[in-house]
Amino acid sequence: MYNESLFPKTTRELLDKKAALAPDNLEAWRNFSKTVFKAGALDEKTKQLIAIAVAHVTQCPYCIRSHTSQAMRKGAAKEEIMEAIWVASEMRAGAAYAHATLAMDEMEKQH
């Protein structure tokens, strides 16, 4: 389940402390994030589904929780979220297999 020793819960106190250490950077990041996730060529729900997939590939537990919640608020069905996760799974596994070409190339050099 949730391992607080590895991933402490986000608290207002921790958020405030992080913000105080680099307030200008945080404000710039928040503005960037708002811009990225607002509707454009892609609607907000689609952007959140993409974020869920990417969060699973980057393995960010905070991002997984946050973007799953946001996707549901934007109208994503549980089935859509799970399908996005399966797309991420395929891409991650596919990348490992695709990179086997590098190992094959190296093995051929040794032959």
Side-chain angles (χ1 to χ4, degrees), residues 40-111:
L42 296 173
D43 61 57
E44 292 179 44
K45 180 179 89 169
T46 301
K47 289 183 176 191
Q48 290 301 328
L49 290 169
I50 292 168
I52 291 169
V54 172
H56 278 80
V57 171
T58 61
Q59 299 181 332
C60 174
Y62 299 104
C63 299
I64 291 168
R65 288 183 178 277
S66 173
H67 290 288
T68 299
S69 176
Q70 290 180 62
M72 292 183 81
R73 281 199 302 273
K74 298 296 177 184
K78 292 176 182 178
E79 293 83 1
E80 291 175 303
I81 293 168
M82 198 66 230
E83 195 166 312
I85 294 166
W86 276 110
V87 169
S89 300
E90 190 284 334
M91 292 299 294
R92 189 167 176 122
Y97 180 70
H99 279 83
T101 303
L102 298 170
M104 293 298 300
D105 183 54
E106 203 55 41
M107 287 186 285
E108 291 299 314
K109 289 178 184 175
Q110 302 298 320
H111 186 64

